[in-house]
Amino acid sequence: QVQLQESGPGLVKPSETLSLTCTVSGGSISGYYWSWIRQPPGNRPEWIGQIYYGGSTNYNPSLDSRVTISVDTSKNQFSLRLSSVTAADTAVYYCVRDWDGDSHFDSWGQGILVTVSS
Amino acid sequence: DVVLTQSPLSLPVTLGQPASISCRSSQSLVHSNGNTYLNWFQQRPGQSPRRLIYKVSNRDSGVPDRFSGSGSGTDFTLKISRVETEDVGVYYCMQGTSRIRTFGQGTKVEIK
């Protein structure tokens, strides 16, 4: 079973850029689609966007202008950048295997809480 | 965006009794390839969501057979045949048919 692990700062200042990395182990990042999902406290998960191992991306229109997802196949990692953050971006951020060729969201990271505060 | 509406939002259940959660979609979840990408997730307190059911009715490996999924088109149901203590948590339906993946609001299952 593939394993995913998020890493990055747990505290980001308003107006700055949130940056997270997901390291995939137990399997290759190649051949699959990968997503970032966030979950504000007490709310449902929200899909942020996805990336194919080849680099093509697809973002949630609600965040499109602020989101960049990239991939580094040599490190088996993919990353999230979310610019101009506000308190509304405070959430647990998950990296997820989006599509395994047959189904969606079968493997999740443990999540990382990112708080936006000065 | 596809809107998923779950009911009920809160579900108190007696141990050993059945439970049922509904998920209704604002549009058909049948993909152009004929598959229906409706999934169910369980989120226990303090944990990541865990997928239980994919493509409406396929149980994931390790998921107890007391969990079952059914439905078609826009109406879907997750059933727990006999609720156990470990089933406490929030359950979400999620669709992957649309380019923009969306989740239901969640149903909180608790023991009476």
Side-chain angles (χ1 to χ4, degrees):
Chain A
Q1 178 83 352
V2 68
Q3 294 183 327
L4 299 90
Q5 178 69 58
E6 304 88 350
S7 59
L11 180 64
V12 181
K13 290 183 168 56
S15 79
E16 295 190 344
T17 296
L18 178 160
S19 295
L20 298 174
T21 296
C22 181
T23 301
V24 179
S25 59
S28 175
I29 203 168
S30 297
Y32 298 101
Y33 288 84
W34 306 88
S35 272
W36 286 97
I37 291 172
R38 70 181 183 178
Q39 187 173 27
N43 285 351
R44 75 183 83 182
E46 177 187 30
W47 177 75
I48 299 171
Q50 70 172 188
I51 190 163
Y52 188 49
Y53 79 101
S56 60
T57 55
N58 179 26
Y59 300 140
N60 191 325
S62 68
L63 298 166
D64 193 316
S65 62
R66 299 195 291 132
V67 173
T68 303
I69 298 176
S70 58
V71 64
D72 186 338
T73 54
S74 67
K75 295 182 179 178
N76 236 31
Q77 293 177 334
F78 63 105
S79 298
L80 168 71
R81 287 174 58 85
L82 181 66
S83 63
S84 305
V85 297
T86 69
D89 295 308
T90 293
V92 176
Y93 285 75
Y94 297 99
C95 57
V96 182
R97 185 162 69 179
D98 181 291
W99 173 251
D100 66 0
D102 183 49
S103 64
H104 300 88
F105 294 0
D106 66 324
S107 300
W108 293 62
Q110 66 182 30
I112 182 169
L113 174 62
V114 179
T115 301
V116 178
S117 175
S118 55
Chain B
D1 297 2
V2 175
V3 177
L4 298 179
T5 303
Q6 290 183 228
S7 62
L9 299 185
S10 178
L11 185 55
V13 186
T14 301
L15 282 174
Q17 293 300 302
S20 180
I21 301 170
S22 170
C23 176
R24 291 187 172 172
S25 174
S26 60
Q27 60 193 72
S28 173
L29 296 183
V30 180
H31 193 274
S32 57
N33 65 13
N35 289 315
T36 301
Y37 295 110
L38 187 284
N39 311 287
W40 289 96
F41 294 83
Q42 174 194 63
Q43 188 172 30
R44 293 173 173 147
Q47 296 186 11
S48 305
R50 166 200 181 197
R51 196 179 71 183
L52 301 175
I53 302 286
Y54 63 95
K55 291 195 297 185
V56 181
S57 59
N58 296 276
R59 200 179 305 114
D60 271 282
S61 175
V63 174
D65 61 8
R66 63 179 181 275
F67 289 94
S68 64
S70 63
S72 63
T74 60
D75 288 347
F76 304 92
T77 302
L78 175 71
K79 292 183 178 178
I80 310 173
S81 59
R82 296 173 305 280
V83 171
E84 299 189 6
T85 305
E86 65 180 17
D87 300 335
V88 167
V90 181
Y91 291 77
Y92 296 98
C93 57
M94 168 262 163
Q95 65 80 23
T97 296
S98 168
R99 183 180 72 86
I100 302 169
R101 286 80 163 90
T102 51
F103 290 80
Q105 320 99 299
T107 295
K108 186 174 184 178
V109 172
E110 59 184 11
I111 305 300
K112 279 184 185 175

